Amino acid sequence: MLGIGGVGTWRDALDYIALGATNVQVCTAAMVYGFKIVQEMTDGLSDYMDSMGFKTTAEFQGRALPTVT
């Protein structure tokens, strides 16, 4: 599953992954803010994963699904 639309921060990417996405697409944010936004997203997501003890995104992928109604 691909997460597309409204991805502008690492938290947005995290939300998509937690909802089951295996990939996240960034387009408009990169066009507006430049490619550096992608590095900021990967750094932020990496820091979050380190703080939570996750080694891979698969460890939290889909965890939010039970909360969706």
Side-chain angles (χ1 to χ4, degrees):
M1 182 168 105
L2 180 60
I4 302 171
V7 181
T9 69
W10 68 267
R11 288 181 182 88
D12 299 327
L14 173 67
D15 288 345
Y16 274 114
I17 296 167
L19 287 168
T22 55
N23 295 290
V24 179
Q25 178 177 313
V26 179
C27 183
T28 304
M31 291 169 47
V32 172
Y33 302 109
F35 189 73
K36 68 178 179 160
I37 193 81
V38 177
Q39 187 63 51
E40 292 170 6
M41 287 181 189
T42 57
D43 290 345
L45 189 57
S46 179
D47 291 345
Y48 169 80
M49 289 174 62
D50 288 345
S51 72
M52 298 300 289
F54 296 129
K55 295 193 184 314
T56 68
T57 57
E59 294 179 56
F60 61 90
Q61 180 185 5
R63 282 198 177 184
L65 285 176
T67 66
V68 177
T69 57

